[in-house]
């Protein structure tokens, strides 16, 4: 399972935000109390991860799923210019903010018994099964994801320069087909 270089930094920031939001939802909202028990912020250690009935609470992520297609270039093209890729091949990886956050949550929850669950929409193309398999191998539960009959999997086209700068175009695909009704049905 490979994360897109463009998304790694964003995923770290979002996971940090999840930690803060989880802390604010804790029983004790005082900053000093939150800071004194950082291991319990997501309920990953000691308390906070289990319902009163003893059932482990899942870490649920609702968000986008894209196949990231990365093209390495020496420089970005100018308006109306064509540039040749610096590598003869593209790289393909699971991407999308939701998918990357769910994979990060699964890593954080390893060994805790807390499942990481992704709620997203897979497309109607060959990438859908590839993405599903990669997420499952990363420890993500995808059983609550929908599958679009009309739209392909979302795509992120990433142009990556040697200095690590990335420019992207996102084609939403099945992500655009997501509705409140579909979310409620899951």
């Amino acid at each position: 399972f490979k994360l897109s270089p463009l998304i790694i930094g964003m995923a770290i920031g979002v996971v940090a935000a999840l930690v803060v939001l989880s802390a604010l939802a804790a029983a004790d909202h005082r900053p000093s109390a939150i800071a004194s028990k950082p291991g319990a912020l997501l309920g990953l250690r000691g308390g906070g991860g289990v319902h009163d009935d003893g059932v482990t609470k899942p870490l649920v992520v609702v968000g986008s799923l894209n196949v990231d297609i990365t093209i390495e270039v020496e420089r970005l093209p100018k308006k109306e210019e064509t540039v040749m890729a610096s590598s003869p091949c593209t790289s393909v990886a699971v991407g999308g903010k939701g998918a990357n956050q769910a994979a990060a949550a699964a890593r954080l929850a390893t060994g805790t018994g807390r499942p990481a669950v992704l709620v997203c929409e897979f497309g109607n193309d060959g990438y859908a099964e590839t993405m599903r398999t990669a997420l499952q191998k990363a420890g993500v539960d995808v059983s609550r994801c929908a599958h679009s009959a009309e739209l392909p999997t979302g795509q992120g086209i990433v142009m990556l320069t040697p200095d690590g700068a990335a420019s992207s175009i996102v084609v939403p695909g099945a992500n655009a087909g997501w509705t409140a009704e579909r979310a409620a049905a899951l």
Side-chain angles (χ1 to χ4, degrees), residues 154-166:
Q155 296 181 16
I157 310 301
V158 181
M159 292 176 285
L160 183 64
T161 60
D163 65 356

Side-chain angles (χ1 to χ4, degrees), residues 81-136:
E81 179 186 29
T82 300
V83 297
M84 185 69 74
S86 57
S87 172
C89 301
T90 59
S91 66
V92 177
V94 174
K97 289 177 178 53
N100 288 330
Q101 291 169 29
R107 284 187 195 111
L108 285 171
T110 298
T112 67
R114 291 192 70 184
V117 178
L118 175 61
V119 179
C120 72
E121 182 128 3
F122 289 99
N124 64 359
D125 56 7
Y127 287 125
E129 189 56 35
T130 301
M131 301 293 105
R132 177 183 300 279
T133 300
L135 286 164
Q136 289 173 324

